Amino acid sequence: MGQTCCCMQIDQATVGIKERWGKFEEVLDPGCHVVNWCFGSSIVGLLSLRVQQLDVRCETKTKDNVFVTVVASVQYRAMPSKAKDAFYQLTNPREQIQAYVFDVVRASVPKLNLDDVFEQKNDVARTVEEELEKAMSNYGYEIVQTLIVDIEPDETVKRAMNEINAAARLRLATREKAEAEKILQVKRAEAEAEAKYLSGQGIARQRQAIVDGLRESVLAFSSNVPGTTSKDVMDMVLITQYFDTMKEIGAASKSSTVFIPHGPGSIRDVADQIRNGLLQGYAGSQAAH
């Protein structure tokens, strides 16, 4: 604002309040105005129309008895059409806005739990804005926007919340690890069962091949050497396998295999025991039928 003699300059986004002999006369828009000081006219003040911001820190308690500090950011401005009310009715509009913010926040937050305050902060901001709009419009001010920019619980509460979150994540990780170990054990058991099944098939095929080979050897030997019986051939096969086994045992440096009774003559006893067992089994099956 500048003045020279009776001329007065009002800057952009600002209005001047003109009085005459101490009584309000008019609102002066931006530009140059002639003010006749001799007839009691004067510019008693200027009113900015720019958007202003007020940050309000309000401490309150939630429904679950947790003290929090709520930081509300209020953006407001004077309305040009109500510049007279904005200039004359409020001595300090910032303190008035702060008082309304305290009142609304301390009436809204105690109805919510701490987690709900974080989730519903936009609803709290909307309630503050609506109450401020109704109250401040009577004084010539417009509430442009209201934001809840921060919610600060007590430091001990924040530590407790972090510990709860860490414990929950640890519990989830333990559960996932146990589930993975369970799947691993199941897969290992399935693989072991499949390996045993395949090993059993291999052993069965091996024994079948041995039986087929023995049968072919007995038939071939009996046909090529007249006067020999199947018993003679089996005794010869067993004695041959006996010497092969003894050879393998002798070749191994750390073998712990022991034959009791030991001696080539024991092979006949083993053959007799196998033969008697087979004959007894066959006789039992026939008797059952």
Side-chain angles (χ1 to χ4, degrees), residues 50-289:
R50 293 186 176 93
V51 175
Q52 302 179 61
Q53 178 168 311
L54 173 64
D55 293 330
V56 182
R57 297 179 63 87
C58 177
E59 185 178 11
T60 184
K61 187 178 72 170
T62 63
K63 186 177 180 180
D64 47 353
N65 297 322
V66 177
F67 282 91
V68 295
T69 300
V70 179
V71 182
S73 179
V74 181
Q75 297 174 354
Y76 68 96
R77 66 182 175 187
M79 294 184 287
S81 60
K82 294 185 177 182
K84 176 184 175 183
D85 295 335
F87 185 80
Y88 285 103
Q89 292 197 33
L90 289 179
T91 303
N92 191 333
R94 297 176 69 88
E95 289 185 359
Q96 188 78 8
I97 292 173
Q98 181 173 305
Y100 277 107
V101 171
F102 282 163
D103 181 67
V104 175
V105 169
R106 287 173 177 168
S108 302
V109 172
K111 299 177 182 178
L112 304 172
N113 292 324
L114 180 60
D115 293 339
D116 296 333
V117 173
F118 283 95
E119 294 176 359
Q120 302 179 26
K121 68 185 187 70
N122 291 335
D123 296 337
V124 176
R126 192 178 304 111
T127 302
V128 173
E129 183 175 344
E130 291 172 356
E131 293 297 325
L132 282 176
E133 185 68 32
K134 288 190 294 184
M136 299 303 294
S137 61
N138 297 326
Y139 301 111
Y141 283 91
E142 173 190 4
I143 304 301
V144 178
Q145 192 171 19
T146 302
L147 302 172
I148 301 298
V149 295
D150 197 9
I151 300 172
E152 301 176 358
D154 186 77
E155 189 64 31
T156 57
V157 176
K158 287 197 287 186
R159 283 199 301 268
M161 292 176 65
N162 290 334
E163 290 176 359
I164 292 173
N165 187 36
R169 292 182 180 276
L170 182 60
R171 185 166 57 251
L172 179 60
T174 303
R175 188 183 300 116
E176 293 295 333
K177 182 179 179 180
E179 190 67 24
E181 291 179 354
K182 174 184 174 183
I183 294 174
L184 184 61
Q185 290 178 0
V186 170
K187 293 299 181 182
R188 187 182 294 115
E190 291 177 354
E192 185 176 353
E194 183 68 18
K196 289 181 178 179
Y197 173 74
L198 295 176
S199 177
Q201 284 188 331
I203 293 173
R205 290 174 182 174
Q206 179 186 19
R207 290 175 179 174
Q208 183 64 40
I210 292 173
V211 171
D212 293 341
L214 289 174
R215 184 176 59 252
E216 292 177 0
S217 298
V218 169
L219 294 176
F221 195 87
S222 299
S223 61
N224 293 330
V225 182
T228 59
T229 63
S230 299
K231 178 179 178 302
D232 297 331
V233 177
M234 287 298 299
D235 290 342
M236 186 185 67
V237 171
L238 288 175
I239 197 66
T240 303
Q241 289 185 346
Y242 169 79
F243 283 117
D244 290 340
T245 303
M246 294 301 295
K247 179 180 178 181
E248 292 180 1
I249 293 174
S253 60
K254 296 182 179 180
S255 177
S256 59
T257 304
V258 178
F259 282 93
I260 301 175
H262 177 66
S266 302
I267 299 300
R268 183 175 298 274
D269 295 336
V270 175
D272 292 339
Q273 292 175 13
I274 295 173
R275 188 180 303 105
N276 292 334
L278 292 174
L279 292 174
Q280 289 174 6
Y282 178 75
S285 63
Q286 292 296 323
H289 291 295

Side-chain angles (χ1 to χ4, degrees), residues 1-19 26-35 37 41-48 50 87:
M1 179 181 68
Q3 64 180 63
T4 303
C5 297
C6 294
C7 294
M8 179 72 67
Q9 174 186 315
I10 306 297
D11 296 332
Q12 185 66 33
T14 307
V15 294
I17 305 300
K18 180 181 178 181
E19 292 181 355
E26 63 177 330
V27 176
L28 301 180
D29 294 328
C32 184
H33 300 272
V34 176
V35 179
W37 306 105
S41 296
S42 62
I43 304 297
V44 294
L46 300 175
L47 182 66
S48 175
R50 293 186 176 93
F87 185 80

